Amino acid sequence: MVTVLVALVVLAASPLTRAAPAQAADQWNPPANLVQPLNEVWNHVSTTYPDLYGFRNYGWDQVMANRGSINYCVRWESDAPVGTALRDQVHAALKKQFGKWTAAMLDNGTGHNAWPYTSVPVNIVGWAVKNRSTLQWTDNSVDVYAGNLDSGGAPQCAPDCGRFFHQDGDYTKCPGGAARHYDQSLWLTKGFQGGAGGDWGQRVGQEYFTGALSQEDIHIYLHEVGHTFGLDDFYDWTPTGQCCFLMNAGSATQITEFDKWMFRDFWRHLKSRYGL
Ligand SMILES: [Zn+2]
């Protein structure tokens, strides 16, 4: 009797009995003062967009489909010439700015709540332009699409290579195959004011983006990337206690703590679709 009881006590105290199950528990630990406003945001989003659980082309889906990277097409809707230096500066800025969102998924270098990627490389696989002569580089380090225009007359990379058009991941008609497919477009339009963003990418003014290349935060672009990952606007309400954050347009110029936790909350609600 006594022996059995002792064995039971030891077993109950053993770490083995508290080992993590095969599916990790939800690690949701926002700062206490953000719990209520985050719940308000999720309630708002999930009732305003009841289809969100069926939508399969968020930035999350794209990164996961690529196993941890993202491919871009740059749509240069402008006649301003682009040399090698500007081309490479655009890529560097894109890496840095996009990386601010993916870094928001890390705690001391470790993925938050089963987020699997410590870095998410950003590749530019194509530049689209109306006239080839606008692009003044001569190397072939990136594919160029000249004169491929959408229905509105704006240059685009080949739709055969675009995830927006091939959400099943079938890029067999893309000349470069899946490796040269693009998930998103950075659409830079001369004279365009403000921004737009969605699963297809982000659109901002060409002059704005090239004028902001050296800025720490290209905030309109950053806001639009938030939309790519499902975050909403706040035109008609604000969550309790939160006035100023990137997704509340005009109130902040960088990703704030509240933006970071809204981003993480979106992942929390979608991650089960990846078996996490
Ligand atoms: Zn917006």
Side-chain angles (χ1 to χ4, degrees):
M1 279 288 288
V2 170
T3 305
V4 171
L5 277 172
V6 169
L8 280 172
V9 168
V10 170
L11 188 63
S14 163
L16 286 173
T17 60
R18 288 179 278 123
Q23 190 170 27
D26 194 39
Q27 301 163 6
W28 185 239
N29 53 353
N33 65 314
L34 299 186
V35 171
Q36 183 186 344
L38 288 168
N39 285 339
E40 291 170 0
V41 169
W42 190 258
N43 287 338
H44 184 88
V45 167
S46 58
T47 54
T48 306
Y49 309 100
D51 297 338
L52 76 86
Y53 286 105
F55 186 72
R56 295 271 167 172
N57 198 29
Y58 291 113
W60 306 108
D61 299 304
Q62 299 168 6
V63 172
M64 295 302 286
N66 294 342
R67 298 173 190 265
S69 63
I70 207 78
N71 284 0
Y72 262 95
C73 163
V74 178
R75 303 180 67 183
W76 189 258
E77 191 183 6
S78 172
D79 56 5
V82 185
T84 308
L86 178 56
R87 177 195 69 185
D88 295 346
Q89 287 165 8
V90 167
H91 192 186
L94 199 60
K95 285 182 184 176
K96 175 175 176 175
Q97 301 296 320
F98 190 88
K100 286 173 180 267
W101 275 118
T102 51
M105 292 306 294
L106 304 181
D107 285 316
N108 298 318
T110 301
H112 165 82
N113 204 355
W115 174 248
Y117 304 113
T118 54
S119 69
V120 179
V122 176
N123 311 302
I124 293 180
V125 296
W127 278 69
V129 69
K130 193 172 272 186
N131 301 306
R132 178 64 182 84
S133 60
T134 301
L135 305 180
Q136 301 183 340
W137 62 78
T138 53
D139 66 63
N140 57 4
S141 64
V142 62
D143 292 340
V144 170
Y145 299 88
N148 190 331
L149 308 181
D150 70 11
S151 59
Q156 62 181 351
C157 294
D160 282 342
C161 301
R163 176 172 165 110
F164 181 81
F165 307 97
H166 297 277
Q167 293 179 28
D168 59 356
D170 181 357
Y171 301 110
T172 51
K173 290 183 178 172
C174 177
R180 303 289 185 92
H181 89 281
Y182 61 97
D183 304 291
Q184 300 176 29
S185 291
L186 175 65
W187 185 0
L188 304 177
T189 299
K190 187 176 183 179
F192 187 76
Q193 301 295 316
D199 60 325
W200 48 269
Q202 307 83 34
R203 185 185 193 187
V204 297
Q206 176 259 303
E207 301 94 328
Y208 165 76
F209 196 85
T210 53
L213 287 172
S214 62
Q215 287 182 12
E216 180 58 33
D217 295 283
I218 305 179
H219 67 94
I220 300 177
Y221 165 81
L222 287 173
H223 173 103
E224 304 307 338
V225 175
H227 290 321
T228 301
F229 283 84
L231 301 187
D232 203 8
D233 280 310
F234 292 82
Y235 293 137
D236 51 358
W237 75 290
T238 49
T240 298
Q242 302 301 317
C243 71
C244 307
F245 49 100
L246 185 71
M247 297 313 295
N248 185 15
S251 70
T253 57
Q254 57 187 303
I255 298 168
T256 68
E257 188 75 359
F258 189 64
D259 291 303
K260 180 177 89 172
W261 282 97
M262 285 198 300
F263 194 63
R264 291 176 167 196
D265 206 10
F266 220 96
W267 166 252
R268 172 165 77 117
H269 286 94
L270 287 198
K271 67 177 184 141
S272 64
R273 67 169 60 171
Y274 314 113
L276 297 171

